[in-house]
Amino acid sequence: MHKYRRTIIWLGLVLIIVLIVLSIYGAFIGAERAEQFFNQPPAVVYWTALATLLIIGIAAFRRLLRVPGLLLIHVGCVLILAGGMWGSRGGHNLQKKLFGIDKIRKGRMVIYEGKNENHVALDDSREQKELPFSLKLKDFRIEYYQPVYLQIQTRQGRQWKVPVEIGKEFSLGDEAGTIKIVKSYENFKIGMEEGKSAPFDDPSPGSNPAIEVQITEPGGQTSIQYVFELFPGHSHGQDKFSLSYHRVISDYISELQIIEGDNVVAEKDIEVNHPLRFGGYHFYQSSYDDKAGQYTVLQVVSDTGLYVVYAGYWLLCIGTIWHMWLRHIFSRLKVKSI
Amino acid sequence: MEIKYTIQGLLVYMTIAAYLLAFITTILRRPKIGHALYLLGFAIAVCAFGYRWYHVRHVPLQNLFEVFLCLGMIYPVSLFCRRVLRVGGYAADMLIGAIVLFPAGFVFNAEPQQLPPALQSWLFTPHVAVYMFSYIFMAKATFQAICQLAGRNPKPGENLLPSEEATYRIVCVGFPLLTLGLILGSYWGKLAWGDYWGWDPKELWSLASWLIFLGYFHYRYMFGKKHPGINSLWAVAGMAAIIITLLWVNLSRLFPGLHSYAS
């Protein structure tokens, strides 16, 4: 091996070892600090050196040009680094200086049901910026896994688990009697009706999920107990059973419209794993109003450099699979056919 | 440590027993009986995995119990390595199978869980499955590397590769899977969390393990078989990083991150 090629590959190995050490260090300091650490000027120097060395390596090693798999792997790595740097905070600043492109890199927007919004609170600073289009939230909803189960426990430690099905009665055995789910509430409130307290489902904004349970003793006496999802320990001293229930969220859905001028140009329900792509941005379901379900919080992310990274991923994948698997399989098949 | 008095637990214990018996009979030079027991163990492991799948109603790769249940189905990999790659360590695979099932049987919680929204993606199964396959291959490569370090090579009549070459060959099979796992995870991260790279501890450990094997290839390209011990040490270090990625990051509270639902 020529001296300069040996030097290049030694440098490559050193840079790999440095990145191994930095990755392990980054794993100990947590994601937020690691992101800052890997975007600092010394790290930028490192990324640039790595990308440059890869390009020099491709030019210097004829083997890399002759063996397609190896070439794809190395070009793929260059693209991933280039796309990553182009889409980073520094990359966005550079694009602003060089080309005047002032794109939001990352931020969050809060949209109330029925309202339009185009303001994005930036993650990098306390500033707000406007999108060139608006988003309207038609509806936000949460879906739960079915069935929901009511957990029943006696003071002696006996336990049952029954599905929350309105109107259905469940036997808990001869000693414990029966239990029946009478009604469910999304926003449980107590009001006064004819001088008596009466529970009702309040349609105004708010969330206090509860179920009404009728307990029938083996002797025939009945009593009503309310079970609150958000207050699982709620019970009276005389209650025979400790009851609780918890709904498991299966999905968060924001029904959105994109509005340019006065026209609706796109519509999509976004959920986790199903973002909305529009105008060079991706919109993700990020959070929601857990008190009253009135608004959704979306994460807004620029797609700058993303498709370069994806191209790099494809090349890296195809290159590794070709170089380490397929060419061996094909050469074996060739030998067999001869 | 707890014993699971369930059908699921029973299937896991039966698999462990079959694998251990297979290992013992193989080292006592009864290879045919050993092979039959290994095959039986694999059949029970498949039943255990299938039973779990039916029970939780999704591909059981969500938590460590399910992942280790999957890792216990090592038989096809060891058969592939022996028949196609001409790599030994058949008896060791039986032991590896029993060892990975041990925490599933006695340590990890088997309480079924429903998939949180982030895990409801078509990428869930390929991302985890590809990683599991790569981990099994890398575990086998590490065993060969340890054999090389201990100076143990197959006997001439066995028609098997020497340990150093066997390590290289298995790493060559496992590395594309490791790469695919990393890339699928990154693509999924973009869809679910908005970033294809979140600098999460688990992501960084998986990057470190990928880079160690990358270093192994570069070192071996530079020196060939001149320093076989150092080649083997790269492979062992890679496996150590994989173990940390898989276990420590999920179990330890030192590294809270986006992958914490896998604990």
Side-chain angles (χ1 to χ4, degrees):
Chain A
M1 203 187 282
H2 277 287
K3 204 177 169 186
Y4 76 100
R5 284 195 196 130
R6 185 166 278 277
T7 312
I8 290 169
I9 200 158
W10 259 116
L11 275 173
L13 192 61
V14 168
L15 289 184
I16 290 170
I17 293 170
V18 169
L19 191 52
I20 293 169
V21 174
L22 294 182
S23 301
I24 293 171
Y25 169 71
F28 277 92
I29 60 175
E32 210 170 301
R33 283 180 61 201
E35 185 176 359
Q36 285 170 2
F37 174 75
F38 282 100
N39 278 289
Q40 279 176 352
V44 175
V45 172
Y46 171 84
W47 297 124
T48 314
L50 186 59
T52 313
L53 193 72
L54 275 162
I55 295 165
I56 294 171
I58 293 166
F61 283 83
R62 281 201 191 144
R63 185 174 139 80
L64 287 184
L65 295 171
R66 275 203 316 267
V67 182
L70 287 178
L71 181 66
L72 291 179
I73 292 170
H74 287 82
V75 173
C77 290
V78 173
L79 289 181
I80 292 167
L81 287 171
M85 287 197 278
W86 195 237
S88 68
R89 197 177 305 152
H92 275 78
N93 291 339
L94 194 68
Q95 288 162 58
K96 194 176 169 183
K97 274 184 190 165
L98 295 179
F99 311 114
I101 303 169
D102 190 11
K103 213 171 163 185
I104 296 163
R105 193 181 78 85
K106 206 190 259 187
R108 261 153 236 279
M109 58 197 303
V110 176
I111 316 175
Y112 280 82
E113 276 181 350
K115 304 274 186 222
N116 289 12
E117 188 56 78
N118 70 342
H119 289 91
V120 180
L122 305 187
D123 277 7
D124 299 341
S125 63
R126 288 187 176 181
E127 283 176 53
Q128 276 202 350
K129 274 191 177 176
E130 284 182 18
L131 288 169
F133 49 86
S134 302
L135 273 83
K136 182 179 177 181
L137 179 66
K138 280 169 69 186
D139 187 29
F140 172 77
R141 64 179 193 275
I142 298 173
E143 289 181 355
Y144 298 92
Y145 278 106
Q146 295 296 336
V148 176
Y149 287 97
L150 174 70
Q151 309 275 349
I152 307 158
Q153 190 174 359
T154 63
R155 290 179 197 283
Q156 291 76 36
R158 280 193 74 187
Q159 289 184 2
W160 295 268
K161 192 172 148 185
V162 299
V164 176
E165 289 174 23
I166 309 296
K168 203 165 178 184
E169 195 160 17
F170 297 93
S171 169
L172 305 178
D174 294 342
E175 290 170 21
T178 62
I179 201 158
K180 183 179 171 185
I181 319 291
V182 180
K183 199 176 173 186
S184 74
Y185 301 84
E186 277 305 313
N187 191 14
F188 181 94
K189 292 271 168 67
I190 290 190
M192 295 300 283
E193 246 177 51
E194 295 167 3
K196 280 185 178 178
S197 60
F200 67 101
D201 211 348
D202 191 351
S204 58
S207 174
N208 184 20
I211 51 174
E212 187 177 322
V213 176
Q214 180 184 292
I215 298 161
T216 308
E217 302 281 336
Q221 314 92 301
T222 61
S223 61
I224 294 288
Q225 201 169 324
Y226 294 97
V227 191
F228 299 92
E229 186 183 8
L230 304 178
F231 310 99
H234 176 87
S235 66
H236 299 290
Q238 71 273 19
D239 288 342
K240 187 176 171 184
F241 300 114
S242 164
L243 305 174
S244 64
Y245 84 106
H246 174 66
R247 295 178 294 175
V248 180
I249 293 171
S250 71
D251 212 351
Y252 310 93
I253 300 163
S254 292
E255 290 180 24
L256 291 172
Q257 285 180 331
I258 306 267
I259 296 168
E260 271 183 321
D262 289 333
N263 302 321
V264 177
V265 289
E267 240 176 294
K268 182 170 167 133
D269 296 355
I270 67 165
E271 331 167 23
V272 183
N273 285 313
H274 300 280
L276 164 69
R277 292 166 197 161
F278 189 83
Y281 294 99
H282 288 206
F283 298 89
Y284 296 87
Q285 182 61 52
S286 171
S287 187
Y288 64 100
D289 173 15
D290 58 351
K291 299 277 189 301
Q294 292 296 293
Y295 62 83
T296 187
V297 183
L298 303 183
Q299 192 188 10
V300 185
V301 185
S302 151
D303 66 358
T304 303
L306 178 68
Y307 298 102
V308 180
V309 173
Y310 282 175
Y313 283 172
W314 273 105
L315 295 189
L316 181 59
C317 258
I318 295 167
T320 355
I321 291 170
W322 175 262
H323 188 70
M324 292 180 183
W325 292 355
L326 296 180
R327 71 188 184 117
H328 299 291
I329 295 170
F330 288 139
S331 63
R332 268 194 188 200
L333 291 174
K334 219 173 179 180
V335 169
K336 270 189 183 173
S337 67
I338 291 166
Chain B
M1 204 159 117
E2 55 159 2
I3 296 170
K4 294 180 173 69
Y5 297 101
T6 56
I7 296 172
Q8 185 74 70
L10 182 71
L11 289 169
V12 173
Y13 302 138
M14 281 165 68
T15 315
I16 296 174
Y19 282 170
L20 285 176
L21 281 172
F23 174 70
I24 292 164
T25 45
T26 304
I27 57 168
L28 291 175
R29 296 175 195 283
R30 296 280 181 277
K32 280 188 181 170
I33 302 171
H35 181 85
L37 284 166
Y38 192 19
L39 196 59
L40 175 72
F42 170 66
I44 305 170
V46 171
C47 289
F49 192 75
Y51 179 80
R52 179 71 179 181
W53 193 331
Y54 174 76
H55 194 49
V56 296
R57 311 268 167 175
H58 57 77
V59 182
L61 292 169
Q62 185 184 0
N63 48 39
L64 286 173
F65 171 77
E66 292 170 356
V67 159
F68 275 68
L69 205 58
C70 173
L71 288 174
M73 297 186 290
I74 191 174
Y75 175 79
V77 171
S78 62
L79 202 67
F80 172 79
C81 287
R82 191 182 178 89
R83 297 264 166 91
V84 181
L85 303 179
R86 289 195 294 121
V87 171
Y90 202 61
D93 293 346
M94 300 164 186
L95 196 60
I96 291 174
I99 289 170
V100 296
L101 282 172
F102 184 83
F106 297 100
V107 181
F108 298 134
N109 187 356
E111 189 67 32
Q113 293 164 309
Q114 277 154 328
L115 285 181
L119 294 189
Q120 294 168 32
S121 164
W122 67 271
L123 288 155
F124 170 53
T125 306
H127 167 63
V128 186
V130 154
Y131 258 132
M132 291 310 109
F133 265 114
S134 76
Y135 288 175
I136 296 175
F137 278 111
M138 293 316 191
K140 273 195 69 73
T142 306
F143 176 76
Q144 292 298 325
I146 291 167
C147 285
Q148 190 283 320
L149 288 169
R152 288 188 62 182
N153 272 309
K155 286 163 197 152
E158 284 183 301
N159 191 27
L160 295 171
L161 292 175
S163 302
E164 197 283 329
E165 221 179 313
T167 309
Y168 176 69
R169 207 171 259 203
I170 308 177
V171 172
C172 280
V173 175
F175 187 74
L177 292 169
L178 208 59
T179 310
L180 205 57
L182 196 63
I183 286 173
L184 285 173
S186 172
Y187 179 64
W188 187 8
K190 179 67 192 163
L191 288 182
W193 301 318
D195 274 319
Y196 55 82
W197 195 256
W199 306 104
D200 177 63
K202 186 147 179 146
E203 287 176 4
L204 286 166
W205 273 110
S206 62
L207 176 68
S209 32
W210 187 80
L211 287 167
I212 293 171
F213 286 106
L214 197 69
Y216 166 79
F217 285 124
H218 283 80
Y219 189 85
R220 200 175 183 275
Y221 174 72
M222 285 165 75
F223 297 103
K225 296 175 193 172
K226 219 193 280 180
H227 308 294
I230 300 177
N231 289 350
S232 301
L233 284 176
W234 276 101
V236 174
M239 192 62 212
I242 283 175
I243 292 170
I244 295 170
T245 312
L246 183 64
L247 281 181
W248 191 13
V249 173
N250 282 131
L251 296 176
S252 165
R253 289 182 191 276
L254 273 176
F255 309 108
L258 294 165
H259 291 81
S260 55
Y261 49 74
S263 61

